[in-house]
Amino acid sequence: MELKDIRRNIDKIDRELLVLLQERMGLALRSTKFKETISDTQREEELLAKAERLNLDLVERSFTRQLLRSIIEESKRLQKKEPLLVAFQGEHGAYGDVAARKLIPDGACIPCLEFIDVFRGVEEGHFDLGVVPVENSLEGAVTQVNDLLTTTDLKVIGEARIRVNHCLLATEVTDYRDIRMVYSHPQALAQCRGFLMRNHLEPRPYYDTAGAAKMLARENPRAAAAIASALCAELYDLEIIKEGIEDEPSNMTRFLLMARDPYGKRGEKTSIIFVTPHESGRLHAVLQLFAEAGINLTRIASMPLRSDPDNYCFFLDFEGDENDAAVKPVLEKMEGMTISLKRLGSYPANGTGC
Amino acid sequence: MNNLKLSTREPEHRTVVDVSGVQVGKGFTVIAGPCSVESESQTVETARAVKASGADMMRGGAFKPRSSPYSFQGLGLKGLKILAKARSEIGLPIVTEVLDPRDVSWVAEFADVLQIGTRNMQNYSLLKEVGMVGKPVLLKRGMYSTLEEWLNCAEYILSEGNPNVILCERGIRTFEKYTRNTLDLSAVPAMRELTHLPIIIDPTHSTGRISLIGPMSLASVAAGADGLIIEVHNNPAEALCDADQALTPDLFEDMMRQLRPLQSFMERLPRLKTSHQAM
C-alpha cells in the first residue's frame, strides 16, 4: 500500500464515521419522542463504561471517554433544538429525502424502510411529519401510498412537486469505460432504459435508489454504477458521471406532507377520497357539483376497494380550501350522495408546507 | 470512385445536417471555441463571447490527440461535463472530438456533434462506431489524404446508418513551411461536384497563423463553403495547447463583422457558370 492508497482509505473511513454519526444523531432525536427529559446521567455513564471495556489497543480509554462524551454533548444540544422529525421512505438521499428537505428545510429527515412505517410512525407520534410520493408523471399513482391514504387518520398539510433528476453515479476510482452493471430501483432503471441500452449497460434491480448508492460507496463492486439523485453523490462521496439520464426529461413526482393535525390556515388545494354507490350516473352527479360551482379539479384517480374489489374509490384533488364559500356546500351535498367521503385536508399548493 | 455508393448518390440533392436546431448545409455555420477545455470559467466565458459575435455552435476538446504523449491530453470526462454545462448556460450546441471507440457512446451522451480528427480519419473501427451512434459526425480530412480517400471514410459512417456527416477541410501537408499546413480551398467546389455532404473549413489548423485566419475565413465564404470551425480562446497566452493560433474574442468579433455581410452579398449573386457547355 502506498501513501496515496493509505490516504484514500483514511478518507473513506472518516466519511463512514461521519455517516454513522448522522445515523446516531437521527436515533437520538427519535428517542426524544419516548423520554421525559433529554439528560439521563445513568444511561450516559453506562454507555461510557461499556465503551471503555472494549479492548482496543490503538484507541486509548481516556480518548474513548473524551470522544464519546463530546458526541453525547452534541447529541443533547441537537435534541434541545427540537427540530421537527420528518419521516420518508428509503435511505438518505432518496427522492423522498429531497422532497422532505424542500418542504421542511430545518427539519430532521428520518429514513424509514416502508411507506407504512412513515404512516404508522406519524400516527403514533414517533415522528412529527411524514413525506410520501402520491403520483409520478410517467408511472402514475403510487398504489401503496394511495392505499394507505384510504385508511389513515393523518391529514395532508402540504405538497411538493420534485423533478426526478436521475444521475449515473460511480466511485471515484471507477473508470466510466469499465462500467457494465447499474444498480437502482426498478422504476429508475425503467426510466433510464434508453440511456442504459445506448451505453450497453446491464440493469441490476435494487430495493432503493439511495440504497444502491450507499451500497456502491460501502462495497465498491467492480464495474458497477448506480442511478440515484444528485444528493446521493454528495452524501456517499460518489462521482456524477452524467446528470439527467432519464429518457423523458419531464419526470416529476408529487409528494404529500402528512401530519396528525390539519393545516390550520386557509389552504389553496384540497384532497378528498370518496366511494359512490354502484349505480349509473352517481360519479357524474358528484363531478357535476364541482363543474357547476366552477371548481377546478387537479387530480382524479380511481382504485379498486380492498374490501370490495367490484367497487372503486375515487381520489379527487381540487383548487380551493374546504371551508371556502364555493367549496363548503359542494362537500356538504356530497355527504348525501356518497357511501363514504374522506377529507384528507386543505393545504398550500406546491412547495410551502407547514 | 466506384465504391462510393452513399456519399456520391444524387448529386442534385444536398444533405442538410440538423444539429439541435442548427442547419449545417443551409446558410453559413460558424463553430468557434477553444482548442481544449481547460476549466469551466474559460469554457463558459469563451462560449459567451463567441455567441455574442454570432457563432452558431461551440467547439472544445476534452480528449486531445497530441503529437507528444507528454503534452496535455485533455480533461476527459470532466471536460465533457464542463462542455455540457456551457451548453446549458449559453445555449450553443457542442462539437467535440472522440479518439477512442470505447468513448464514442459516452461522448455522444454529452456532445451534439462528434468530431473525427485528421489523425483518425482512417481509423476504421472508430468510424464504424460513430456510424452506429445517432449523432452528427464532423469528419476532418486526413492531412495526407486525397479527396477520394476522404469520401471513402465518410462512406464508412454512412454505411453504418448515420446519414449526418459534415466534411471539414483542415489543410494538407505540402513542402511549404511558412504555414502549418496548406489550405486546399479547392476542396470546397470539388466536393460540391463529388458529394451531397456539407463541407466546412478549418482556417486555424490549416494556416497555424493568426494573421492568415481572417482572410482564409472570408475566402471560405466566397468559395461556397457551408461554414467554419475556428479556435477562439478568451486568454490565448495561457492556453494549454495551440496558444499561438487561437483568436482572441476581439479578433473573432472583428472577423465576424466582415464575414456576415460578405455571406449576404454572396447569397445575392447568381450561381457562377462552371463548365464550357454552359457558356
Side-chain angles (χ1 to χ4, degrees), chain A residues 168 176-177 195 198-199 239-242, chain B residues 63 77 81 100 102-103 105-106 109-110:
Chain A
L168 187 74
Y176 62 96
R177 289 179 287 208
F195 174 85
R198 285 197 302 277
N199 294 293
E239 200 189 336
I240 299 179
I241 306 273
K242 179 131 203 312
Chain B
F63 300 95
L77 179 66
K81 287 195 256 185
D100 186 330
R102 293 177 301 163
D103 280 325
S105 71
W106 292 101
E109 291 293 335
F110 293 88

Side-chain angles (χ1 to χ4, degrees), chain B residues 227-241:
Chain B
L228 286 177
I229 182 164
I230 191 161
E231 281 184 9
V232 177
H233 195 287
N234 64 338
N235 188 2
E238 286 179 15
L240 292 177
C241 83

Side-chain angles (χ1 to χ4, degrees), chain A residues 174-186:
Chain A
T174 304
D175 184 335
Y176 62 96
R177 289 179 287 208
D178 295 335
I179 298 170
R180 291 289 170 272
M181 287 163 302
V182 176
Y183 293 88
S184 195
H185 190 274

Side-chain angles (χ1 to χ4, degrees), chain B residues 207-274:
Chain B
T207 65
R209 282 177 177 268
I210 289 172
S211 58
L212 308 184
I213 293 172
M216 286 302 101
S217 298
L218 299 179
S220 306
V221 177
D226 294 298
L228 286 177
I229 182 164
I230 191 161
E231 281 184 9
V232 177
H233 195 287
N234 64 338
N235 188 2
E238 286 179 15
L240 292 177
C241 83
D242 288 353
D244 45 2
Q245 62 179 32
L247 296 186
T248 57
D250 282 352
L251 285 173
F252 178 68
E253 190 190 359
D254 186 53
M255 184 205 86
M256 290 295 281
R257 262 201 218 119
Q258 297 202 16
L259 187 145
R260 291 302 187 195
L262 177 62
Q263 179 194 344
S264 336
F265 177 75
M266 291 303 296
E267 280 165 2
R268 286 197 303 273
L269 289 182
R271 259 177 83 175
L272 207 57
K273 295 189 177 85
T274 51

